[in-house]
Amino acid sequence: MVKSINVYYSLTGNTEAVAEEIHKQVDGELLRIETLESYPEVYDDVLAVVRSQRNDNELPEIISKEVDLSEYDSIFIGAPIWFGQPALPVEKWISENDLSNKKIYPFFTSGSSPINESMARYKDLLNQSNISKGLEITSSNNSNLSNVVEEWLTEIKP
């Protein structure tokens, strides 16, 4: 049996909701990425911090959680999209873990940004991994979350 883990970062709860829906439909383990220092609560302040981190090529420190990835064949990775790219805490987690030879199932949440740039970024970061078609959850399809996730899972066959 294929064992999966669902790794995600969620600032506002949107990505967490998608991770939990995937978890309901696929089972496996859930692992929430958490930053050592919280991002601000005001969205415009978050954007300023993220812009500064991106400009300085700085990844936020994350709280280390022991997980033996050798136990998993499939890894779902969820992130909000910030400035067209996956959230920096997810990039930090990816940089700290060997995901080569894993099947990666990316999912993204966004108000309106398409996932094209985020998928390209993952392909750069995960060049040794097998990356499936990504799932894009926006405010327009969020109300139908269960069906959207089910359709995606049927298509990618994890």
Side-chain angles (χ1 to χ4, degrees):
M1 185 169 131
V2 174
K3 283 190 73 180
S4 66
I5 187 168
N6 189 330
V7 180
Y8 69 95
Y9 173 78
S10 189
L11 181 65
T12 62
N14 292 334
T15 308
E16 182 173 38
V18 179
E20 288 174 352
E21 182 61 37
I22 292 169
H23 177 68
K24 267 198 275 187
Q25 295 188 32
V26 176
D27 204 16
E29 304 294 322
L30 268 176
L31 176 70
R32 181 184 177 119
I33 298 168
E34 297 178 83
T35 55
L36 205 53
E37 290 184 28
S38 297
Y39 281 93
E41 291 187 22
V42 177
Y43 187 67
D44 287 344
D45 295 343
V46 172
L47 296 179
V49 171
V50 170
R51 187 177 291 117
S52 173
Q53 288 175 328
R54 283 239 181 256
N55 289 341
D56 296 341
N57 289 320
E58 174 189 321
L59 295 174
E61 290 300 313
I62 59 175
I63 297 170
S64 181
K65 296 180 180 177
E66 291 298 316
V67 60
D68 182 1
L69 292 177
S70 68
E71 295 182 18
Y72 303 98
D73 306 306
S74 302
I75 302 175
F76 292 85
I77 299 180
I81 296 176
W82 294 346
F83 297 108
Q85 303 284 317
L88 294 170
V90 177
E91 289 194 23
K92 177 68 170 178
W93 186 86
I94 289 170
S95 75
E96 292 181 350
N97 290 280
D98 179 11
L99 304 180
S100 56
N101 302 315
K102 301 290 182 188
K103 182 71 175 166
I104 304 296
Y105 301 97
F107 62 97
F108 303 96
T109 56
S110 170
S112 61
S113 297
I115 66 172
N116 306 359
E117 284 183 56
S118 292
M119 287 295 292
R121 181 73 179 141
Y122 275 5
K123 287 177 181 163
D124 287 344
L125 294 171
L126 299 163
N127 60 0
Q128 298 299 313
S129 300
N130 187 358
I131 303 173
S132 83
K133 174 185 175 189
L135 172 63
E136 175 179 17
I137 299 294
T138 62
S139 48
S140 65
N141 66 358
N142 193 21
S143 61
N144 197 15
L145 184 59
S146 178
N147 290 341
V148 172
V149 167
E150 184 178 359
E151 288 171 15
W152 177 63
L153 292 171
T154 299
E155 185 177 347
I156 62 170
K157 298 175 180 61

